[in-house]
Amino acid sequence: GAVVSQHPSWVICKSGTSVKIECRSLDFQATTMFWYRQFPKQSLMLMATSNEGSKATYEQGVEKDKFLINHASLTLSTLTVTSAHPEDSSFYICSARDPGLAGAADTQYFGPGTRLTVL
Amino acid sequence: GQSLEQPSEVTAVEGAIVQINCTYQTSGFYGLSWYQQHDGGAPTFLSYNALDGLEETGRFSSFLSRSDSYGYLLLQELQMKDSASYFCASNTGGFKTIFGAGTRLFVKA
């Protein structure tokens, strides 16, 4: 299947700092990527849909000024958590669909996730 | 609103068969997906049903009934490594996917 990478895999930062997480599709071009957040023992909550060359679409309740998303190329989307606070500590996961695959609408390929801890 | 309901936990023994049910209420429905997630890892795709009926992929099968807004994941010949969380997810169009709360499967020896 298609491969999606994330970097970093984990990060610890001080409260008030900003953290950038990268999501890359390694062997396909992704016009659309998705960013999820997952708290321990909970489900994946969709934060936003990242669209190449245009603004991201945020889900209700997600602060777009706090979670900045940039999808500058067909293989890279970034999520920047600005002025991070301890409550932002979570597992952040990106995903992408490979539009070149049959049934592309049906299958998401997830990155390995980034565990953010804000002290 | 949009919601998918599945049991929070299921326990089964090695070698057995287990079924994880999922009922959904979504505005716009294109299909039901299933994902597996081990602790600390990312979700991995298991199967997808767009049409009613059973889809079989090795030890895993998935079923959908659109008229009942219901589906299930069937795991056969359970192995210890199958202990994980399983999520049903609804593709609501526009490539947007909504996930259920997840079912933690414990496989005992």
Side-chain angles (χ1 to χ4, degrees):
Chain A
V3 179
V4 176
S5 71
Q6 264 184 258
H7 177 80
S9 55
W10 60 271
V11 59
I12 301 173
C13 69
K14 292 183 179 180
S15 187
T17 60
S18 294
V19 174
K20 179 186 283 188
I21 303 170
E22 294 185 349
C23 177
R24 293 181 186 273
S25 57
L26 297 185
D27 51 0
F28 65 100
Q29 295 183 328
T31 54
T32 304
M33 292 183 173
F34 303 90
W35 287 97
Y36 294 85
R37 180 166 58 181
Q38 186 178 34
F39 293 106
K41 300 191 188 310
Q42 293 189 24
S43 186
L44 287 80
M45 298 301 298
L46 179 64
M47 299 175 67
T49 302
S50 173
N51 305 298
E52 188 270 335
S54 65
K55 291 183 179 180
T57 304
Y58 290 82
E59 294 301 302
Q60 192 173 8
V62 177
E63 300 176 59
K64 61 182 180 181
D65 294 331
K66 180 170 182 62
F67 299 100
L68 301 179
I69 291 173
N70 184 278
H71 195 150
S73 78
L74 286 170
T75 60
L76 173 64
S77 175
T78 61
L79 168 69
T80 301
V81 183
T82 62
S83 186
H85 288 93
E87 57 265 30
D88 298 323
S89 298
S90 187
F91 192 46
Y92 291 86
I93 314 174
C94 70
S95 73
R97 298 182 189 273
D98 182 350
L101 290 179
D106 320 324
T107 307
Q108 290 193 66
Y109 296 98
F110 285 87
T114 298
R115 190 161 303 281
L116 170 64
T117 302
V118 184
L119 302 177
Chain B
Q2 306 196 58
S3 67
L4 295 95
E5 293 192 13
Q6 51 184 130
S8 58
E9 283 187 12
V10 173
T11 301
V13 297
E14 209 173 5
I17 299 173
V18 72
Q19 179 174 312
I20 300 174
N21 299 319
C22 175
T23 56
Y24 60 87
Q25 276 189 317
T26 59
S27 55
F29 178 82
Y30 285 76
L32 195 69
S33 302
W34 289 92
Y35 292 83
Q36 178 192 61
Q37 185 181 32
H38 286 96
D39 285 346
T44 55
F45 173 79
L46 291 178
S47 70
Y48 175 75
N49 294 72
L51 303 175
D52 285 1
L54 191 69
E55 292 282 341
E56 298 182 68
T57 309
R59 294 189 297 115
F60 295 170
S61 303
S62 59
F63 172 82
L64 176 67
S65 169
R66 296 174 73 105
S67 59
D68 296 323
S69 298
Y70 163 76
Y72 65 74
L73 178 70
L74 192 72
L75 296 86
Q76 303 183 70
E77 300 174 18
L78 279 176
Q79 302 175 10
M80 298 296 288
K81 66 178 182 179
D82 297 329
S83 294
S85 291
Y86 293 84
F87 295 91
C88 59
S90 169
N91 178 357
T92 61
F95 298 110
K96 186 172 170 178
T97 302
I98 305 298
F99 284 80
T103 299
R104 288 185 66 84
L105 171 64
F106 298 95
V107 180
K108 294 184 174 181

